[in-house]
Amino acid sequence: MSSEKESPKKSEKRGLFSRWRRKNKAIEPTESAAAEVLDTQAITPTEQLSDSLQESLKDPESLEQVASPDVVAPVAVTLPVTSVEPEVPVEAPATASPPAEASASSAAEVSPPVQPTAPAEQPEPEKAKPEPHSEVLEDPSTKPEDTELAKPVEKKKRPNRFSRALSRTSAGLGAFFLGRKEISDELLEELETLLLMADVGVDVTTEIISELTDRVKRGELNDSDTLKAELHRVLLDIISPCEQALDVSGKQPFVLLVVGVNGVGKTTTIGKLAQRYQKEGHSVMLAAGDTFRAAAVEQLQVWGERNNVQVVAQHTGADSASVIYDAIESAKAKNIDVLIADTAGRLHTKSNLMEELEKVKRVMAKLDEAAPHEVLLVLDAGTGQNALNQMHEFNQAVGITGLALTKLDGTAKGGVAFALSRRFKVPLRYVGLGEGVDDLQVFRAEDYVKAVLSDVDNGL
C-alpha cells in the first residue's frame, strides 16, 4: 500500500518538474523576444507596466499559457530585459536548449507587432526634443550690430592714396607720436633727426624745431598731441603756397615742355598727362623731342597708341629743336588744345647739354612768343637733397614754372617737397603716387601733410 501511495506522488512530482521545465523554456524565448523588440523599436526602459500585468507575469499558470503553442498571448514589449527573471535560477541541461532557428521562430510567435495600450492613469513619456539646428549661438564679435559699428572704424584706418604712397616717409614721423605724452629736449632732438632723415632739409628742419621749441617754452604745447598738431600747421604753412593746379585752357595750343635728368620718368609722366587731359576733354598731341636716348621715340609712340594720340617724331639722332618746331606747326594747323613736348634727359652739371635745352626754348618762341607756356621739371623724390641742385640748374637754363615729384611710393624721402617749396616757391603741380595711369595726381597740400604725419597701418 505504501508503494502504491508513493507512486502517484512521484508521478505528480514528475509532472510538476516537466511543467517547470516547460515554464523555463517559455521564459527564455520571452526574454530574447523582448530584448529583440527593444533593440528594433528603441522603446525607452522607463515605461512601467500596470499592476495587473506585472501580477499576471508572476503567476506560473499564466506563464504556461504563454509558453503553450496553442495560445499566443500578447507580451508587453516595453518590458526591460532585466525586469523578467525566473524565481529559481536553475541552469537548464544542454540537451534542453532550443536551437537558434527554434528560438527565433518562438520569438516571432511570442512578440506580436501590436503594442499594448498604456493605462489611462499612466502619463505618456516625453518625446525627445530635436536639437535646434537653426538656433546657433552667435559669437559676440560677429553680431550684425558689432560689424556695423566696426565699419566706420575700418574706413578711418584704411589709408587713402596719398597715405599709401607716403607710407615709408610716415613710418618714422607718423609713428613718432604714438604713445608719447610729455615733451622733453630728448623728444625734440629725436623729432629733428626724423625730419632730417625724411629729407626735409637742414634749413627747413632748423626752422621747424626752433618754432616748436619756442611754443613749448611759452607753455602752449603740453603733450605729444598738441606737438603733432603744431607740426602739422607749420608744415602746411610751408607747402600750401605751392598748391597751384595747372590750367591748360586759354592758349591753343598750350605748349608744355617737360625737362629733367635721366631716369626720373619724364616719358611715363607725359603719357599719364596725355590721358588726364583727354579725360578733361582736351585734344592732345605729343612731340618726341628725346632723339638721343635709344628707343625713346618708340616708347612715346606706344603711349600715343594707348591714348589714341598723334605723335610727331623723327629718327633717332635728329635735332630735338626741329622735331618740336614741326610739332607746334602741326598742332596749330589741327587746332590741338595741348601739345606736350618731350626732351632728352641730361645731367644738370653738363653745361653744353643745358645750352641745347635753351636752344629748344628759343626755337619755340619763333612760332609763339609765349611758348612754352609751362616748363615742367620732373624730379625723382628718391634723389633727396640732390633735387634742389637739379631745380637750381634747370631753373637758370629754361626757367622752371612747375614741378612734378615722382616715385613717392618707393622712397622714405618725401620731405624733399618741403625743402623745394621753402627755397624756390615754385608750384608743385603733380605728384606720382604709384605706377598706375591714375596714380599721377594733382598735388593737394592738406592731403600731403596728413600722409606724411599719418599713423595709419599702411599694411592694410
Side-chain angles (χ1 to χ4, degrees):
M1 296 294 291
S2 61
S3 60
E4 293 176 359
K5 293 179 181 179
E6 290 177 356
S7 58
K9 293 181 180 179
K10 290 181 179 179
S11 60
E12 185 179 355
K13 289 181 180 180
R14 283 196 298 270
L16 291 173
F17 181 73
S18 61
R19 283 182 296 183
W20 177 81
R21 287 180 60 186
R22 287 197 303 271
K23 178 180 69 175
N24 289 344
K25 289 180 181 180
I27 290 173
E28 289 178 3
T30 305
E31 292 176 354
S32 62
E36 184 176 356
V37 173
L38 283 173
D39 293 338
T40 55
Q41 297 184 1
I43 305 300
T44 57
T46 56
E47 298 180 355
Q48 299 179 356
L49 297 173
S50 62
D51 297 338
S52 60
L53 186 59
Q54 289 180 357
E55 291 176 0
S56 63
L57 287 175
K58 291 180 180 179
D59 190 4
E61 294 180 0
S62 62
L63 290 176
E64 289 179 6
Q65 294 176 1
V66 171
S68 63
D70 299 331
V71 181
V72 179
V75 179
V77 296
T78 58
L79 178 66
V81 178
T82 57
S83 62
V84 180
E85 295 181 357
E87 296 179 358
V88 182
V90 180
E91 188 173 357
T95 57
S97 60
E101 296 179 357
S103 62
S105 60
S106 61
E109 294 175 357
V110 173
S111 57
V114 181
Q115 298 182 3
T117 306
E121 63 272 6
Q122 183 178 359
E124 293 183 2
E126 295 182 1
K127 295 182 180 180
K129 295 182 180 179
E131 295 182 359
H133 295 287
S134 59
E135 297 178 5
V136 181
L137 294 177
E138 295 182 354
D139 189 1
S141 60
T142 59
K143 287 184 178 180
E145 48 267 25
D146 291 344
T147 54
E148 292 177 2
L149 294 175
K151 285 181 181 178
V153 177
E154 283 185 12
K155 290 181 180 179
K156 290 181 181 179
K157 288 296 180 182
R158 186 178 294 115
N160 56 22
R161 186 171 291 179
F162 276 80
S163 297
R164 286 195 302 268
L166 293 166
S167 60
R168 297 190 179 185
T169 303
S170 63
L173 288 172
F176 171 75
F177 296 96
L178 293 176
R180 296 179 180 270
K181 296 301 179 183
E182 297 180 357
I183 299 178
S184 61
D185 294 339
E186 290 79 8
L187 185 140
L188 292 175
E189 290 178 3
E190 187 177 352
L191 178 59
E192 182 179 6
T193 302
L194 292 174
L195 290 173
L196 291 173
M197 291 176 63
D199 263 335
V200 176
V202 177
D203 296 337
V204 180
T205 300
T206 303
E207 178 184 345
I208 292 173
I209 295 298
S210 177
E211 185 171 353
L212 293 177
T213 304
D214 293 340
R215 296 287 300 273
V216 171
K217 289 181 179 179
R218 292 196 298 266
E220 299 176 0
L221 305 178
N222 300 321
D223 53 17
S224 59
D225 294 336
T226 56
L227 179 64
K228 183 178 180 179
E230 182 62 18
L231 178 61
H232 181 278
R233 184 193 65 80
V234 172
L235 293 176
L236 188 60
D237 290 344
I238 293 173
I239 205 170
S240 57
C242 297
E243 183 182 350
Q244 299 178 23
L246 179 61
D247 185 11
V248 297
S249 61
K251 303 288 183 179
Q252 192 177 14
F254 185 92
V255 181
L256 175 61
L257 182 65
V258 181
V259 298
V261 300
N262 298 304
V264 295
K266 294 188 307 297
T267 306
T268 303
T269 301
I270 290 172
K272 294 178 180 181
L273 286 174
Q275 189 179 68
R276 170 176 286 275
Y277 295 146
Q278 275 189 321
K279 290 181 179 179
E280 294 176 359
H282 301 290
S283 57
V284 182
M285 179 181 287
L286 304 181
D290 187 0
T291 58
F292 179 75
R293 180 171 62 91
V297 175
E298 289 79 5
Q299 183 182 0
L300 194 65
Q301 287 175 342
V302 169
W303 277 105
E305 292 175 0
R306 282 185 194 172
N307 302 320
N308 195 19
V309 172
Q310 182 181 353
V311 180
V312 178
Q314 295 182 12
H315 60 86
T316 301
D319 185 25
S320 178
S322 64
V323 174
I324 295 176
Y325 184 90
D326 293 342
I328 294 176
E329 284 188 333
S330 177
K332 284 186 174 182
K334 296 179 180 180
N335 295 324
I336 299 297
D337 296 329
V338 181
L339 172 64
I340 306 176
D342 191 10
T343 60
R346 63 201 71 236
L347 295 176
H348 55 283
T349 56
K350 301 294 183 179
S351 58
N352 57 335
L353 297 177
M354 300 301 289
E355 290 175 359
E356 183 181 350
L357 191 59
E358 294 176 3
K359 175 186 173 182
V360 171
K361 187 176 181 180
R362 289 195 303 269
V363 170
M364 286 178 158
K366 292 181 180 179
L367 295 174
D368 188 349
E369 294 181 357
H373 304 99
E374 175 79 5
V375 181
L376 187 69
L377 175 62
V378 180
L379 295 173
D380 185 351
T383 58
Q385 293 299 301
N386 192 27
L388 299 176
N389 298 330
Q390 296 177 23
M391 174 63 190
H392 176 72
E393 297 296 332
F394 278 97
N395 191 33
Q396 284 187 340
V398 292
I400 302 300
T401 59
L403 295 175
L405 196 60
T406 62
K407 305 180 183 180
L408 283 167
D409 58 322
T411 182
K413 300 179 179 180
V416 70
F418 301 98
L420 290 168
S421 300
R422 175 63 81 191
R423 181 172 175 180
F424 298 101
K425 295 181 173 54
V426 175
L428 183 55
R429 307 291 194 185
Y430 302 100
V431 286
L433 305 179
E435 297 180 358
V437 176
D438 296 332
D439 288 331
L440 185 69
Q441 293 289 312
V442 176
F443 174 73
R444 295 190 295 272
E446 180 68 26
D447 292 341
Y448 196 89
V449 175
K450 282 183 178 179
V452 169
L453 299 178
S454 173
D455 57 355
V456 174
D457 184 7
N458 295 280
L460 294 177

